[in-house]
Amino acid sequence: MNRFEGKVAVVTGGSGGIGSAISKRLSSEGAHVVICDINAEASNALAADIGNATVETVDIAKSSEARAMIERVVAQHGQIDVLCNNAGINRRGALMDLTEDDWDATFAINVTSMFYLCQAAIPHMIAAGGGAIVNTASQWGLHPAPSHIAYNTSKAAVAAFTQNLARDYAPDKIRVNAVCPGEVRTDMLAAGLKRTGRTFEDLDKLIPYGRIGKPEEIAALVAFLASEEAAFMCGSLVEITGAQAVA
Ligand SMILES: NC(=O)c1ccc[n+]([C@@H]2O[C@H](COP(=O)([O-])OP(=O)(O)OC[C@H]3O[C@@H](n4cnc5c(N)ncnc54)[C@H](O)[C@@H]3O)[C@@H](O)[C@H]2O)c1
């Protein structure tokens, strides 16, 4: 498939676990991918690997950095067709475990960055006649797992942000959707497991499908939602969980 030939796609958290799979998938289907991540080393290594990519080492929680990045992309490439708001952090804990910094950082990176990036990108998409935005929410934003109140609440906000943005900009042919993954094999999940002493294999046994998700499987869904094949999908929150129930 070559669904993104001639398209420019920005992927935040683009060199992380799920983000690198999204960057690779969109690039393999013809997109010029802008790998936007705070981790320069991983981003440069990924760009060298996939070829048709630009690295933007940016802290998306900072308004001026995030907005300037979008303007640079449009100045360099003339357009921005796809925006994947995928970067996120997970500060674990129930209410009394968390600091104000945990709460503020979670919302700054997981939610407010989307406000900056969408506000900067949407005028360019409108001028071009449309575009696609795919946000990475989480199953836990819809059905909260215990002791992740900041993360889960931020992902519920991502879900609401997605639906609001979709309603407001559908008339401009900007489709906004979100993926809501269950647990996926990445460094983020590995960090959580380290705290509890569990393994990926322990989690595999809890999933009716027999295992947790792979980054490539989330990337395939993101690519579908970003492509014209999903032309009538707008404002959808798509769960991808292997039939997992949160407990
Ligand atoms: N792994 C899971 O089980 C899982 C499940 C559901 C949803 N998610 C969501 O998927 C997304 C990707 O998660 P992942 O598992 O690949 O995690 P990850 O930690 O592997 O990747 C996150 C990436 O975001 C980047 N990042 C963090 N803060 C940033 C900032 N301020 N500016 C720019 N980049 C920044 C990191 O450098 C990293 O590359 C996140 O939004 C996460 O909440 C993950």
Side-chain angles (χ1 to χ4, degrees):
M1 283 186 286
N2 246 5
R3 296 177 293 188
F4 300 102
E5 203 63 61
K7 307 268 189 204
V8 175
V10 173
V11 183
T12 74
S15 56
I18 294 172
S20 60
I22 297 171
S23 298
K24 284 181 193 165
R25 178 67 191 242
L26 297 180
S27 162
S28 75
E29 291 199 42
H32 180 88
V33 174
V34 179
I35 303 167
C36 167
D37 202 293
I38 206 163
N39 184 338
E41 200 183 331
S43 300
N44 286 323
L46 179 64
D49 184 27
I50 65 180
N52 189 19
T54 305
V55 170
E56 283 284 353
T57 305
V58 165
D59 180 351
I60 55 163
K62 299 203 169 116
S63 172
S64 55
E65 284 192 36
R67 292 173 190 277
M69 185 271 293
I70 295 291
E71 298 312 326
R72 268 195 307 278
V73 169
V74 175
Q76 281 170 14
H77 303 288
Q79 66 204 71
I80 170 166
D81 303 291
V82 174
L83 172 60
C84 298
N85 285 310
N86 164 78
I89 60 167
N90 186 353
R91 299 273 178 97
R92 295 167 178 83
L95 185 71
M96 302 311 288
D97 305 320
L98 295 174
T99 63
E100 288 187 4
D101 177 67
D102 289 327
W103 185 267
D104 291 345
T106 301
F107 273 76
I109 295 169
N110 293 8
V111 186
T112 310
S113 69
M114 295 192 187
F115 173 80
Y116 303 145
L117 293 165
C118 291
Q119 210 171 48
I122 281 177
H124 298 292
M125 290 181 170
I126 291 174
I133 297 173
V134 184
N135 299 326
T136 306
S138 169
Q139 181 192 23
W140 294 0
L142 307 178
H143 318 285
S147 296
H148 285 74
I149 190 170
Y151 181 78
N152 296 347
T153 308
S154 77
K155 293 299 186 177
V158 170
F161 182 75
T162 300
Q163 291 177 312
N164 279 278
L165 209 58
R167 286 203 69 149
D168 291 344
Y169 291 99
D172 297 298
K173 297 290 175 285
I174 297 172
R175 294 183 306 100
V176 190
N177 294 289
V179 294
C180 305
E183 284 152 331
V184 183
R185 263 184 195 250
T186 69
D187 287 349
M188 178 185 280
L189 185 59
L193 289 174
K194 213 183 243 178
R195 278 174 25 132
T196 61
R198 292 191 297 174
T199 63
F200 282 131
E201 289 67 32
D202 293 331
L203 291 186
D204 286 343
K205 292 183 194 133
L206 302 175
I207 314 293
Y209 190 68
R211 60 165 176 78
I212 61 173
K214 300 176 186 172
E216 298 73 25
E217 292 162 342
I218 313 307
L221 176 59
V222 169
F224 169 70
L225 291 171
S227 79
E228 274 308 303
E229 281 191 286
F232 195 52
M233 291 193 74
C234 194
S236 297
L237 311 174
V238 186
E239 292 185 63
I240 172 165
T241 67
Q244 180 187 20
V246 175

